[in-house]
Amino acid sequence: MAIDKNDFIYMKIYNDIYEKIKSNVLKPGGRIQPENVLKEQYNVSRDSIRKALQKLENDGLISRRAGAGTYVTSKIADYSLANQESFTEQMKKIGKIPSSEILSIEILSDYEAEIGEMLDLVPGEKLYRVCRVRKADGDPMALEIVYVSQKLVPNLHTLLYEDTSLYKLYEDYYNLKMKDMEVHIEAELADKDVQKKLRLKENTPILKISGVMQLEDQRPHYYFVCYHIGHKYSFSVRLPRKRAS
């Protein structure tokens, strides 16, 4: 397969292999072809192949084993925006073991007015702020910050552990009936705080997703901000055609 040899040749190779991993053409544990074979396949220099493989390795998608070759290490998490799925459900669906590193659980009475308005809180009403690193097979995937009224989830700090699903607590323990959420998605570069918490290099792209979950009785449930490591996720949604009248 010939590739335009102008700018960013190695990124085109990277993107092609990335898509094959994402679509499961290249499966976790599967071997990547040797450099000399890839060089002929893409009709490019060995240097371009090495740069593409190095970026894939830096992104945690492949690993090189001395004397044994190069192998796929990860399946990209494909998250449908048309359905509500917890992180635990997402990871189990692609065969990974979900876990969390709890960075902090705080009870706040002083917070941004905008958060209070989104959650329909009276001034000074207490809420929980939960900050966690979400992991798959022990590797960081996302930084999640959740704000939820203490009245809705009393004693949350005594129930939340590193292997606990917040969704299961909400639904099974607190008997809260979640309905839907409106989300906002932004692509940006990780700031220093996110870099540190997710162990990212400078200028790593992330997807920032935020929104408010609504309960069936129309009360706001929680507000969240989640920073997803860009190369570890893909997001999909089915969009119906709306014809002009």
Side-chain angles (χ1 to χ4, degrees), residues 12-29:
K12 294 181 180 180
I13 300 166
Y14 168 91
N15 288 333
D16 187 61
I17 297 175
Y18 174 96
E19 287 298 325
K20 289 177 180 177
I21 295 173
K22 173 184 169 183
S23 62
N24 219 30
V25 172
L26 293 172
K27 303 181 188 304

Side-chain angles (χ1 to χ4, degrees), residues 14 18 55 58-61 74-78 87 91 133-136 138-144 186-190 194-201 203-209 226-235:
Y14 168 91
Y18 174 96
K55 179 166 174 54
N58 291 344
D59 288 347
L61 298 175
S74 175
K75 178 171 172 56
I76 297 161
D78 188 10
F87 177 84
M91 294 304 107
V133 173
R134 310 310 307 273
K135 298 181 178 182
D139 294 326
M141 297 287 288
L143 174 66
E144 174 192 83
E186 303 172 66
E188 57 184 50
L189 298 178
V194 174
Q195 289 171 29
K196 181 179 179 181
K197 288 181 170 64
L198 292 177
R199 304 201 299 269
L200 300 175
K201 295 182 178 180
N203 293 327
T204 297
I206 56 171
L207 287 171
K208 176 185 174 182
I209 301 181
C226 198
Y227 302 91
H228 297 266
I229 300 175
H231 63 265
K232 294 187 178 182
Y233 273 87
S234 69
F235 293 84

Side-chain angles (χ1 to χ4, degrees), residues 118-153:
M118 287 188 291
L119 295 179
D120 200 20
L121 304 179
V122 299
E125 184 175 342
K126 293 181 179 180
L127 58 72
Y128 279 105
R129 180 186 185 275
V130 180
C131 181
R132 303 187 292 174
V133 173
R134 310 310 307 273
K135 298 181 178 182
D137 292 343
D139 294 326
M141 297 287 288
L143 174 66
E144 174 192 83
I145 304 170
V146 175
Y147 300 84
V148 58
S149 170
Q150 188 184 28
K151 287 196 305 186
L152 285 176
V153 289

Side-chain angles (χ1 to χ4, degrees), residues 51-223:
K51 285 182 178 179
L53 294 178
Q54 185 62 57
K55 179 166 174 54
L56 288 163
E57 184 176 26
N58 291 344
D59 288 347
L61 298 175
I62 65 172
S63 64
R64 304 192 207 196
R65 306 173 192 171
T70 303
Y71 294 83
V72 178
T73 59
S74 175
K75 178 171 172 56
I76 297 161
D78 188 10
Y79 181 44
S80 172
L81 294 174
N83 301 299
Q84 289 180 38
E85 290 182 316
S86 70
F87 177 84
T88 298
E89 291 165 342
Q90 293 170 31
M91 294 304 107
K92 286 183 176 179
K93 190 167 68 174
I94 61 171
K96 292 184 175 293
I97 299 172
S99 63
S100 299
E101 178 186 351
I102 300 174
L103 302 182
S104 63
I105 304 177
E106 305 170 89
I107 300 175
L108 305 177
S109 56
D110 184 17
Y111 40 82
E112 294 178 25
E114 184 181 5
I115 293 175
E117 291 172 4
M118 287 188 291
L119 295 179
D120 200 20
L121 304 179
V122 299
E125 184 175 342
K126 293 181 179 180
L127 58 72
Y128 279 105
R129 180 186 185 275
V130 180
C131 181
R132 303 187 292 174
V133 173
R134 310 310 307 273
K135 298 181 178 182
D137 292 343
D139 294 326
M141 297 287 288
L143 174 66
E144 174 192 83
I145 304 170
V146 175
Y147 300 84
V148 58
S149 170
Q150 188 184 28
K151 287 196 305 186
L152 285 176
V153 289
N155 300 314
L156 177 65
H157 60 288
T158 67
L159 300 169
L160 187 60
Y161 299 95
E162 297 202 335
D163 60 350
T164 304
S165 165
L166 269 176
Y167 265 51
K168 286 191 69 65
L169 278 180
Y170 294 150
E171 294 176 328
D172 298 344
Y173 184 83
Y174 292 108
N175 199 31
L176 294 168
K177 308 297 184 184
M178 292 180 283
K179 183 183 179 184
D180 55 31
M181 67 169 68
E182 180 178 338
V183 299
H184 301 274
I185 303 176
E186 303 172 66
E188 57 184 50
L189 298 178
D191 63 24
K192 291 189 181 299
D193 183 58
V194 174
Q195 289 171 29
K196 181 179 179 181
K197 288 181 170 64
L198 292 177
R199 304 201 299 269
L200 300 175
K201 295 182 178 180
E202 188 175 1
N203 293 327
T204 297
I206 56 171
L207 287 171
K208 176 185 174 182
I209 301 181
S210 60
V212 176
M213 173 68 80
Q214 298 287 334
L215 297 172
E216 287 185 354
D217 61 10
Q218 301 303 315
R219 287 181 298 162
H221 178 196
Y222 64 82
Y223 168 67

